[in-house]
Amino acid sequence: MSTIQEDFQLVLISTLLFLVFSSSCDAQPFRRCKFDSIYQLGDSISDTGNLIIESSLGAATPCSRLPYGETFFNEPTGRCSNGLLMIDHVALEAGLPFLNPYLKKDSDFSHGVNFAVTGATALSTSFLAAKGVISPVTNSSLNVQLDRMSSFFSSAFHNDTDRAQELKDALFLVGEIGGNDFNFAFFQGKTIEEEKSIVPDVVQIISDAVRRVIQYGARRVVVPGNFPIGCLPIYLTVFKTNNTAAYDEFNCLKGFNDFAEYYNERLQQAIEELRNENPDTVIVYADYYNAFQWLFRNALFLGLDPASLLKACCGAGGEYNYDRARTCGAPGVQACPDPDRLVHWDGIHLTQKASMLIAKWLIQDILPKLQCNA
Ligand SMILES: *[C@@H]1O[C@H](CO)[C@@H](O)[C@H](O)[C@H]1NC(C)=O
Ligand SMILES: *[C@@H]1O[C@H](CO)[C@@H](O)[C@H](O)[C@H]1NC(C)=O
Ligand SMILES: *[C@@H]1O[C@H](CO)[C@@H](O)[C@H](O)[C@H]1NC(C)=O
């Protein structure tokens, strides 16, 4: 319960935080990097409209109906949130327009392209199928997206010299990708131990993707890890247990968070190897895991509702306001009245507010590592 006094304190603290933040650094420090374009590979965390175009099923795809998009665009755009995604904030902070989805053929790609597809996996659909994991949404896995990137570059640039020159000041985001490989496997009954066996494959395919974008001319590459998936309403609902020892200090599922950290550590080791192989390329890890933990720890001060940290805003009820049989976008499933007070939008994806806060944290964290003044 929040009293008027608590609300007032919250406003006061938020204002102070804002003043501290805004006086201690220039308004848009990310602009110092002078990125002139952004190329994004990934899944629903970054898809700004590819899947809704790709899928012949149109309206049957996830994230294609209101209330998706209600807060910013007033209509669904294919973004899996109520509004802007982290990539939108990254583009804004870089002083660039929102990235158009590659499959929207008539769009302006002069400031980059978004190849991310909702439901995409890092590993190919056939590789996963051989491991007994069905990829139900799309076949546009990481290598398919890289092929699209390659054909885009072939048509956009005259020759290798031209391409290298044009991509000199581009930012490449290789992910987040790989989260779905694990999501699909977990929800299809694989155990944490079984999933650990595909971690090296996922890390390998992401490393190979980084090598490929470097071959195309990338000079600055950001590779995100995974979120603490044990804090997502979908995991909390599906793997709910009476064993209190299974939960951590935030009431998230410890086993899944530990798995995400296991994966993140291996990904970071691979990034270290890539740096050694490519001394002229800046390769930076984006620490989604700790950005998310920061959000949880500072929820109150960030204006989030501490009592709803594990609840989806758009859902059909239950402890976590998530019901796999009636998800956001289905008829009659309502969004909460105050999405800016919640972290989770639909049980899998973040609200615009959480995306914005996490993106700001990530930019502060990676900016010094991008060596923009070098
Ligand atoms: C992926 O490709 C396979 C083989 O061509 C096809 O059967 C399947 O329907 C495709 N899946 C999706 C989601 O498009
Ligand atoms: C590459 O293309 C650019 C732009 O059209 C042109 O000026 C340059 O001469 C070409 N270089 C080579 C090596 O073909
Ligand atoms: C938890 O315990 C209650 C009461 O004993 C039981 O009804 C319920 O099925 C249990 N839930 C799970 C997920 O084990």
Side-chain angles (χ1 to χ4, degrees):
M1 288 296 116
S2 91
T3 63
I4 289 172
Q5 195 184 358
E6 277 172 358
D7 280 346
F8 175 72
Q9 282 176 355
L10 201 64
V11 170
L12 192 67
I13 291 166
S14 307
T15 310
L16 286 173
L17 272 179
F18 174 77
L19 291 173
V20 169
F21 268 115
S22 52
S23 61
S24 61
C25 37
D26 43 320
Q28 274 155 321
F30 202 49
R31 292 200 183 188
R32 265 186 276 141
C33 290
K34 297 193 170 60
F35 290 122
D36 57 13
S37 55
I38 302 176
Y39 295 94
Q40 169 84 59
L41 300 160
D43 58 21
S44 57
I45 289 177
S46 321
D47 184 358
T48 54
N50 281 311
L51 182 71
I52 53 168
I53 299 170
E54 181 185 279
S55 175
S56 54
L57 300 171
T61 59
C63 315
S64 62
R65 281 181 300 261
L66 282 167
Y68 285 98
E70 66 166 21
T71 302
F72 190 86
F73 300 96
N74 292 316
E75 60 176 10
T77 60
R79 285 171 175 79
C80 290
S81 180
N82 57 315
L84 302 178
L85 305 178
M86 290 193 280
I87 178 58
D88 295 314
H89 292 291
V90 168
L92 284 173
E93 296 229 11
L96 298 174
F98 294 148
L99 287 193
N100 282 314
Y102 172 72
L103 296 175
K104 196 172 166 201
K105 289 299 175 194
D106 53 351
S107 14
D108 178 359
F109 294 129
S110 55
H111 295 286
V113 186
N114 192 339
F115 297 95
V117 182
T118 296
T121 50
L123 297 166
S124 73
T125 314
S126 53
F127 187 98
L128 285 167
K131 301 263 174 189
V133 178
I134 308 297
S135 181
V137 182
T138 177
N139 283 320
S140 300
S141 59
L142 187 53
N143 280 336
V144 173
Q145 294 179 30
L146 282 161
D147 290 345
R148 288 174 178 168
M149 179 183 269
S150 170
S151 63
F152 173 80
F153 287 157
S154 304
S155 63
F157 307 127
H158 296 100
N159 53 49
D160 291 358
T161 324
D162 184 29
R163 190 187 61 208
Q165 179 61 28
E166 292 295 326
L167 294 179
K168 187 168 55 66
D169 296 312
L171 173 64
F172 282 77
L173 302 170
V174 180
E176 183 280 327
I177 187 80
N180 283 328
D181 303 52
F182 305 126
N183 294 336
F184 295 149
F186 281 130
F187 297 122
Q188 290 166 27
K190 299 277 183 238
T191 64
I192 288 174
E193 283 313 310
E194 283 170 325
E195 295 232 11
K196 279 187 177 171
S197 72
I198 64 163
V199 165
D201 300 312
V202 172
V203 168
Q204 180 69 47
I205 206 147
I206 293 174
S207 294
D208 290 344
V210 172
R211 290 190 182 95
R212 244 176 109 175
V213 302
I214 292 171
Q215 274 168 18
Y216 297 150
R219 306 273 292 274
R220 290 199 180 82
V221 185
V222 172
V223 187
N226 205 347
F227 285 123
I229 54 176
C231 298
L232 304 181
I234 183 174
Y235 277 86
L236 289 160
T237 302
V238 173
F239 299 105
K240 190 173 158 61
T241 167
N242 283 337
N243 174 14
T244 55
Y247 294 91
D248 70 9
E249 54 176 318
F250 298 120
N251 293 315
C252 300
L253 287 164
K254 240 189 282 189
F256 292 103
N257 282 0
D258 290 348
F259 173 80
E261 287 199 282
Y262 174 89
Y263 163 75
N264 287 341
E265 275 161 26
R266 268 139 200 88
L267 183 64
Q268 287 175 86
Q269 285 165 9
I271 291 172
E272 197 52 50
E273 286 167 28
L274 288 164
R275 286 192 191 113
N276 295 335
E277 271 171 41
N278 301 279
D280 297 330
T281 310
V282 176
I283 309 169
V284 178
Y285 173 69
D287 193 348
Y288 280 21
Y289 193 100
N290 282 302
F292 190 98
Q293 299 287 90
W294 164 82
L295 194 71
F296 261 35
R297 281 208 183 89
N298 297 282
L300 185 62
F301 303 109
L302 295 168
L304 301 166
D305 175 10
S308 302
L309 285 182
L310 300 175
K311 278 193 165 67
C313 167
C314 180
E319 187 174 352
Y320 304 104
N321 195 30
Y322 181 81
D323 179 349
R324 275 183 103 187
R326 290 180 68 221
T327 52
C328 188
V333 177
Q334 302 283 320
C336 61
D338 49 358
D340 278 0
R341 300 267 287 149
L342 271 73
V343 172
H344 298 288
W345 167 245
D346 59 5
I348 304 168
H349 306 100
L350 303 174
T351 58
Q352 167 177 282
K353 183 61 180 281
S355 304
M356 185 198 73
L357 291 166
I358 290 180
K360 280 186 191 293
W361 188 97
L362 288 168
I363 287 173
Q364 278 211 349
D365 188 55
I366 67 176
L367 189 56
K369 300 170 192 162
L370 283 170
Q371 303 171 31
C372 287
N373 299 323

